[in-house]
Amino acid sequence: MRLESKELDFKVESFVWDCKVIVFAVLALTLECKTWLLIGVLLPPPPAGH
């Protein structure tokens, strides 16, 4: 019984960590997209000659 609950705790803990990693990755990607969008909006477009 004890072993099972320990195993369950470990699974839950790793699941929580997976969720944290996924959320962090999504947030980082969103932030990066917003940054690139801001840069694209704020910076003038490159000259057509290049």
Side-chain angles (χ1 to χ4, degrees), residues 1-19:
M1 201 62 192
R2 237 179 180 171
L3 243 165
E4 280 180 21
S5 74
K6 265 189 181 176
E7 201 177 311
L8 187 68
D9 281 353
F10 179 72
K11 281 181 182 170
V12 168
E13 213 171 287
S14 68
F15 175 72
V16 168
W17 269 110
D18 284 352
C19 286

Side-chain angles (χ1 to χ4, degrees), residues 19-34:
C19 286
K20 282 183 185 174
V21 168
I22 290 168
V23 167
F24 184 74
V26 169
L27 280 175
L29 281 172
T30 307
L31 196 64
E32 203 174 328
C33 287
K34 281 183 182 169

